[in-house]
Amino acid sequence: GGSCSGKTRSAWEAIRSGPFAGWRVVRPRDAAMVRHLVASVVIRPCTVVWLDQLQRYLSLVDSSGLTDDDVRALWSGRAPVVVIGTLWPDLYDDINTGGGAGQGRVGDDARGVLRLAGEPVRVADRLSEAELARAWRHARHDQSVADALADTSHGMTQALAGAPWLVQRWEQPGFPYTRCVLAAA
C-alpha cells in the first residue's frame, strides 16, 4: 500500500489479535542488526521479526542490505519465527522488475528477500464499501474514527496516520527547519 494506507496498522493488528497474539515482537534498526539477531538469544520460537519500511533493510546501492540468506538464518532452528515487512507498491515493483536503482547483484539480493515472502498482501489506499460501512458503525463508539471519516480531504487511514497534520506543517511550518525535516522524512 501507498503512504498512510494502513500497512503498518494492518500488520500490527494481525500480530496483536491474530494467530500471532502473545508472540514476542522484535524490530531491528537495520540489516546489520538483523544479522546480529541471528547469533543472539533474542530470536527464539514464537517471535515476529518486524521489518517496517522494508526498503530501509534492503540496499539498492551496495551489498550491505539484507539478503535471503540473512532471512533464512533467522528461521534456522528456531521455528516458528515469522518475518513481516511493509513496502510501498512502487518500490516493490521497482525491485522486482529491476527498474530504477535495483539492478545487478544488489538488486538480486533485494529480489531474493521479496521472493521469500511469496505473493504480497496488498493494502488499498481507500476502504472498500463494506469496510467503510464497518468503520461508520465503529465510529459511533470511537471519536478518532468518526473525525477521520469526517475528513473530506483525506482517506480515513490517512487521517488516522496524521496526514492532515503533516500537510499543514508542510504548508505552514512553525519553524524554519520543519519543511526540511519533513522533506527528508
Side-chain angles (χ1 to χ4, degrees):
S3 176
C4 300
S5 63
K7 298 177 302 297
T8 298
R9 182 57 183 231
S10 295
W12 176 249
E13 291 298 330
I15 293 168
R16 184 179 70 83
S17 59
F20 308 110
W23 285 34
R24 175 185 209 133
V25 177
V26 177
R27 187 176 176 269
R29 286 187 307 269
D30 53 28
M33 176 68 77
V34 172
R35 290 197 248 330
H36 173 74
L37 287 172
V38 168
S40 77
V41 295
V42 172
I43 303 298
R44 59 182 188 244
C46 298
T47 298
V48 174
V49 179
W50 187 321
L51 306 178
D52 197 26
Q53 298 185 31
L54 185 60
Q55 69 273 13
R56 296 180 326 145
Y57 301 88
L58 304 173
S59 178
L60 300 178
V61 295
D62 61 31
S63 60
S64 64
L66 201 60
T67 68
D68 54 351
D69 288 337
D70 296 327
V71 176
R72 281 189 190 95
L74 287 170
W75 296 329
S76 178
R78 296 181 176 92
V81 171
V82 171
V83 179
I84 188 170
T86 60
L87 189 65
W88 289 4
D90 56 339
L91 293 172
Y92 178 86
D93 292 341
D94 282 350
I95 292 168
N96 271 324
T97 62
Q103 299 174 341
R105 176 70 201 134
V106 174
D108 289 343
D109 287 343
R111 279 187 291 281
V113 171
L114 295 184
R115 271 193 303 274
L116 288 176
E119 189 61 30
V121 174
R122 304 263 179 195
V123 177
D125 291 337
R126 299 282 179 192
L127 298 177
S128 70
E129 290 300 319
E131 292 167 329
L132 197 53
R134 282 196 312 273
W136 277 110
R137 285 193 301 273
H138 185 74
R140 289 184 225 142
H141 310 288
D142 188 327
Q143 189 59 46
S144 62
V145 173
D147 292 343
L149 286 166
D151 185 332
T152 58
S153 300
H154 304 87
M156 183 194 82
T157 57
Q158 289 82 1
L160 288 173
W165 181 85
L166 290 171
V167 169
Q168 178 188 11
R169 293 301 181 269
W170 174 261
E171 292 173 345
Q172 302 167 4
F175 300 98
Y177 297 111
T178 301
R179 185 173 282 183
C180 296
V181 170
L182 289 172

